[in-house]
Amino acid sequence: MGGQRGEIRQRRVYEEPEAADGARVLVDRLWPRGVAKEAAHLDEWCKDVAPSKELRTWYGHRPERYAEFARRYRHELVGSPARAALGRLREYAAAGPLTLLTATKSVEESHLAVLAEVLEGE
């Protein structure tokens, strides 16, 4: 595809915003507990790229299921609502830094890691 892409960062929504964050996009299907909308400093809440409730429930953040979770999640990302949302995320990434935000405790074993790979790989 070409073109310069900004850095794609992965952070928890509970962390303080940083100047280097660029566009801040929450990519969870559910709003995080205890976070006021104003305090999140979001540019967008992009629910359509979050894993389905069924996939999230099946995975349950069990490390032994991560590889299969990542495979199934990639498959979900080619679906209709996710495809449009991925386009918006690509626009943010092309314009400068993009920070993907989640409430998940382990960012490294979450959908953020897979989503960042998908965005960086295309």
Side-chain angles (χ1 to χ4, degrees):
M1 212 174 175
Q4 183 89 16
R5 286 193 186 274
E7 174 190 11
I8 297 175
R9 304 177 78 194
Q10 304 168 47
R11 301 183 65 213
R12 294 191 72 218
V13 70
Y14 300 107
E15 297 173 39
E16 285 295 316
E18 296 177 0
D21 283 348
R24 293 172 49 87
V25 180
L26 178 65
V27 291
D28 285 351
R29 199 163 294 276
L30 303 173
W31 186 261
R33 288 183 186 177
V35 176
K37 295 204 181 196
E38 306 78 44
H41 299 283
L42 298 180
D43 290 282
E44 186 171 344
W45 179 13
C46 196
K47 299 179 208 177
D48 290 337
V49 295
S52 66
K53 179 181 189 279
E54 295 77 20
L55 180 57
R56 209 176 61 244
T57 301
W58 172 83
Y59 174 43
H61 297 282
R62 293 166 58 182
E64 68 274 12
R65 290 187 174 180
Y66 182 74
E68 179 63 15
F69 164 77
R71 187 191 70 73
R72 291 182 187 189
Y73 178 47
R74 279 180 175 24
H75 182 72
E76 286 188 354
L77 288 173
V78 300
S80 180
R83 205 169 39 239
L86 278 172
R88 287 195 309 280
L89 292 177
R90 286 187 189 103
E91 290 172 10
Y92 283 121
L98 166 63
T99 299
L100 302 173
L101 298 166
T102 185
T104 304
K105 288 180 183 164
S106 176
V107 172
E108 299 78 24
E109 293 180 334
S110 75
H111 64 292
L112 258 62
V114 178
L115 185 55
E117 286 174 11
V118 168
L119 289 169
E120 290 168 345
E122 296 176 354

